[in-house]
Every structure is written in structure tokens, then in C-alpha cells.
Amino acid sequence: MAHPSIVILTGAGISAESGLGTFRDEGGLWAQHRIEDVATPEAFARNPQLVVDFYNTRRAQAHDATPNAGHTALARLQAEYDGDVLLVTQNVDSLHEKAGSRDVVHMHGQLDSALCGACSHRWSAPLKMTVGEACPRCSEPTARPDIVWFGEMPYHMDRIEDALSKADIFAAIGTSGNVYPAAGFVQMASYVGARTVEMNLDPSETVALFEETRPGKASVTVPAWVEDILGQ
Ligand code: APR
């Protein structure tokens, strides 16, 4: 029997119970750092050491973190639905991969990857990046974290939009709905008649656009939702 095609979008909330900070919750990353100091191309040009240190700290935290039941449930769904699930994440940690997910679409980049600002070559980032690191391909001293900063284009949008145009189900998990284009995915899915569900600790900015909401912690709501989907 053909499975419904499912697009899942995750945000920082799915990694909260794995000990990684979110951005906009009480005491979150944007309470500790100004976005314009650590998460824009201008910030990197102005003070690359501050930016490199910010991502080195987050990379070390993510490196030591372990996936929670929310990540594990999504990996199980992908395995059982073999190819009919597109897992898109705004997160730059690799907890979905550590939980066994394959083919995770990192639309905001990822901490484990480094990018050359000159030739766009990508390679596996060392745990601690340094400023002025040489690109292994073009040798320019232009290595940077492979993170999509504010003002830059998210990655893989064509693939994401194509999947949304064919979605039967769209689920958003652990995201506040503050940042576009991700916050607009629910409208694109609704437009093609997909069922939409939000699983979030607090209602997101876009909660009114979802047909169904399952409030609570991802480690509880996501496994329950996956059980419901697999039981259909
Ligand atoms: N379970 C489920 N949801 C949770 C949990 C939890 N245990 N803890 C927090 N949340 C929810 C919060 O209610 C909030 O709505 O996760 C959401 C986190 O929102 P943000 O901190 O804004 O994170 P996110 O939506 O992923 O941010 C999007 O903004 O700063 C940029 O590029 C960055 O990818 C990030 C993007």
C-alpha cells in the first residue's frame, strides 16, 4: 500500500531535551549573544574570532550530545516509510543522524561541515576551527563555518519546495515559526491539501495555520505521533 508522503520540519526544540540550547526560549542563545555579532556575514568579516569561537562552543556541545526519543522516533518512521519521508531540519547539530536518520536536509547548514568562502568547497570541520584556516582545495585562508547566516540563502530550497508541493502530511516540530522561509512551509503544504500538525512545547507564531497541534515535549509528542502514523 502506498504511503502518504510526509515532510517533517524540525527546529531547536527537538534538541532541547538533548541538552542543546534553543534560540528564543528563556535564556536561549539569542539572549546570550547578539545575532549581529555572531550570525551574519558582516559579523564574520568584522570579528571572525568571535564567530569562530561561538560555533566552536556549539560544535563541542553538539558533539557530546545524544539524541532523544523525538529524534529516534523520526528515524524509525523514515526506516519504516522507506523514502516517503523528507526530514528537513533548521538545526545544525547532527542528532538526527546520530539517531539513525539518513538523508537529513540541513537547510541552515551544519556544525560538522566547513565551507570555503572563496571556492565554496565543503569539508568535514575540525572540532575547533581557527580563523584563516586554509581551504583544502584552493588553499585560500577563507574557511568559515558551513552555517547559513541571517541574510544568506537557505540550502536545498528547490528540493524542499518540490517535496512540499507533493506532501500529504506536513509536521513541524520544535520550531517557533519566527524565521522564513521555514515558517512558511505550513502554508505551502496546506495549499496542496496536506494535513498539517505542529508538535511544540509552546504555540509557535504560526500555530493558527496548523490543522492539528500536539503541545508538549518532543520526546513525548513525537513518538506518540509516529505511532499514530504507523498505525494508520
Ligand atoms: N519539545 C518541543 N518543543 C520545544 C521544546 C521541547 N522539549 N523546548 C522548546 N521547544 C520549542 C519552543 O516552544 C520554541 O517554539 O522549540 C521552539 C524553539 O524556537 P527557537 O528557539 O526560535 O528555535 P527555531 O525555531 O529552531 O529557530 C529557527 O532561527 O536563529 C535562527 O537559524 C536559527 O535555525 C534557527 C532558526
Side-chain angles (χ1 to χ4, degrees), residues 11-13 17 23-25 30 90 108 174-176 179 200-202 218:
E17 291 163 271
F23 294 95
R24 296 173 182 83
D25 290 322
W30 298 147
Q90 299 172 93
H108 289 167
T175 182
S176 63
V179 175
N200 223 48
L201 190 58
D202 303 319

